Amino acid sequence: MKAGIVGLPNVGKSTLFNCLSNAKAQSANFPFCTIEPNIGVVNVPDQRLEKLEELVNPERVLPATVEIVDIAGLVKGASKGEGLGNQFLGNIRETDAILHVLRCFDNDNVVHVDGSVDPIRDKETIDMELQLKDLESVEKKLDKVKRAAKTGNKEAQKEEVVLSALKEGLEAGKSVRAIQVSEDDREEFVKPLQLITDKPVMYVCNVDEGAAVEGNAYVEKVKEAVADENAEVIFLAVGTEADITELETYEERQMFLEDLGLSEPGSAKLIRGAYKLLDLETYFTAGVKEVRAWTIPVGATAPQAAGVIHTDFEKGFIRAEVISYDDYVQYGSEAKVKEAGRMRVEGKEYIVKDGDVMHFRFNV
């Protein structure tokens, strides 16, 4: 599952990507320095994993991961191919969620493509380009559907109503995620179109060091502007985060964070947010060989969760032995949980809960 970082040129996208993935994407003070999308596989910070490591003392620990894609800066006219528009819009289409970086700091030494700092205008510039691209897709589909609807096809007539509502909303400057459509219609007619502005979005306000703890007036404006979008808004000082990742030791990084008044890097908050945005959750396996976090979609059944380890586990699934994370920590080991009668045996219908510690029985 991929989250794509988007924004205007020079808002801090590549610097943020470097912080998240420790991959050193080129970061320069001019537009279009990221041509091919950089992809980083990022560990999801999870204190539960550290606690299980402490209790089990395994040979190795493997965290959950999420893919972050750094997509080059979009400019006005991207939907018509301006800048490197079409290629980038294609890259965004391939992601599952969008991290939209907005510049929320003043600094005369960092060029802004529009000459001044205004995160709401920047957001609208990007939104408009993405909406125009979606409008193009909706209109194409609507033409086909209208022809089928004229023949009396009931399904096509139903779809025509939904697509017309999308067209109207997009023309009014709304993103698809903010257009009122019933859940059933969204599932049946909207999802298959893979529209860019239907993807879940998190607005990442890039602030300066002085605003790293409490944000600033720009951040408040962004929160107001996206109130009807059901979107997450977080703020972090991307330049400062980059300085933190350059420090050699964990202790040095912690001291730097404490000086700023932060309990953890903002990037950790962002990664966890992206994971949630992608509708993902974690279950654990815990043994002396390894303690590992596994990524599953929210709502996955026990056999589906087993299939993430190996397809044979799903095919030959018999049962799952499940311990809640809280019970594991309370009793301190698998053996003590069993003694206390707190290990559960679950079948094929079981919906895995975030934090379950699981062991699968299967037969192939």
Side-chain angles (χ1 to χ4, degrees):
M1 299 287 266
K2 289 180 192 170
I5 302 176
V6 306
L8 289 177
N10 280 7
V11 294
K13 297 183 311 302
S14 294
T15 310
L16 174 63
F17 176 80
N18 291 340
C19 291
L20 296 179
S21 65
N22 290 331
K24 300 296 172 198
Q26 186 191 2
S27 172
N29 186 14
F30 57 86
F32 302 133
C33 91
T34 312
I35 305 300
E36 289 303 316
N38 292 296
I39 298 181
V41 178
V42 185
N43 291 341
V44 179
D46 194 329
Q47 288 175 332
R48 297 173 301 181
L49 200 59
E50 291 162 33
K51 187 67 187 169
L52 288 171
E53 179 183 10
E54 203 181 290
L55 294 172
V56 179
N57 195 20
E59 288 171 25
R60 63 177 187 161
V61 177
L62 291 168
T65 59
V66 63
E67 274 191 13
I68 304 284
V69 187
D70 178 23
I71 294 162
L74 280 170
V75 292
K76 267 183 197 150
S79 57
K80 302 274 182 287
E82 286 296 320
L84 297 163
N86 291 327
Q87 184 187 335
F88 300 157
L89 289 162
N91 292 334
I92 297 168
R93 202 181 289 286
E94 286 164 22
T95 64
D96 303 288
I98 293 172
L99 307 176
H100 186 160
V101 183
L102 296 167
R103 177 171 166 176
C104 293
F105 66 90
D106 295 302
N107 183 338
D108 294 339
N109 296 321
V110 181
V111 182
H112 189 293
V113 285
D114 288 330
S116 63
V117 177
D118 182 345
I120 308 308
R121 177 200 60 209
D122 295 355
K123 170 193 160 353
E124 285 168 357
T125 298
I126 297 274
D127 282 352
M128 190 170 76
E129 295 307 324
L130 301 183
Q131 287 160 5
L132 286 168
K133 204 66 191 166
D134 280 350
L135 184 58
E136 208 179 277
S137 304
V138 168
E139 285 176 336
K140 261 188 205 162
K141 181 72 175 168
L142 190 54
D143 282 348
K144 281 185 191 166
V145 169
K146 275 181 172 170
R147 286 196 292 274
K150 276 179 185 159
T151 67
N153 182 317
K154 290 274 185 283
E155 196 65 10
Q157 288 167 353
K158 203 172 151 193
E159 188 170 4
E160 185 184 353
V161 173
V162 176
L163 293 178
S164 297
L166 292 188
K167 181 174 184 284
E168 203 176 299
L170 286 163
E171 284 172 340
K174 282 187 176 181
S175 289
V176 173
R177 74 183 79 84
I179 298 170
Q180 293 300 309
V181 177
S182 78
E183 271 312 302
D184 288 350
D185 286 346
R186 191 171 284 279
E187 206 54 48
E188 192 176 349
F189 304 123
V190 184
K191 286 269 166 72
L193 293 174
Q194 290 184 297
L195 298 169
I196 301 170
T197 66
D198 192 34
K199 295 178 191 294
V201 66
M202 179 194 289
Y203 293 99
V204 182
C205 298
N206 182 9
V207 299
D208 55 24
E209 192 172 303
V213 178
E214 293 187 355
N216 58 22
Y218 289 133
V219 175
E220 293 312 309
K221 280 184 182 170
V222 172
K223 285 180 179 172
E224 278 171 40
V226 306
D228 70 332
E229 276 193 52
N230 192 21
E232 297 262 329
V233 178
I234 71 162
F235 58 88
L236 66 160
V238 174
T240 307
E241 296 278 333
D243 293 341
I244 294 170
T245 59
E246 294 296 327
L247 296 171
E248 292 297 314
T249 66
Y250 174 77
E251 287 71 23
E252 284 177 310
R253 291 194 287 272
Q254 286 306 111
M255 275 171 66
F256 195 144
L257 286 167
E258 278 165 29
D259 287 347
L260 289 172
L262 295 169
S263 58
E264 66 173 353
S267 52
K269 194 167 59 173
L270 186 144
I271 295 161
R272 282 199 300 272
Y275 197 70
K276 212 171 106 188
L277 199 65
L278 291 163
D279 216 19
L280 301 174
E281 62 185 10
T282 301
Y283 77 87
F284 302 102
T285 50
V288 287
K289 285 270 183 222
E290 73 174 25
V291 163
R292 183 164 181 169
W294 298 90
T295 299
I296 51 169
V298 171
T301 61
Q304 287 167 338
V308 174
I309 300 176
H310 197 288
T311 49
D312 284 352
F313 281 32
E314 185 172 0
K315 281 181 203 152
F317 179 89
I318 300 169
R319 65 177 184 272
E321 292 164 0
V322 184
I323 302 169
S324 80
Y325 169 78
D326 289 342
D327 281 347
Y328 206 109
V329 171
Q330 186 186 334
Y331 294 100
S333 73
E334 189 177 312
K336 285 183 179 159
V337 172
K338 278 181 181 169
E339 269 174 43
R342 299 291 293 172
M343 180 187 272
R344 306 189 313 277
V345 174
E346 301 285 1
K348 289 182 177 179
E349 304 303 312
Y350 178 65
I351 303 294
V352 179
K353 292 180 182 63
D354 187 52
D356 278 348
V357 182
M358 304 184 78
H359 183 65
F360 298 104
R361 299 287 177 196
F362 68 103
N363 181 24
V364 177

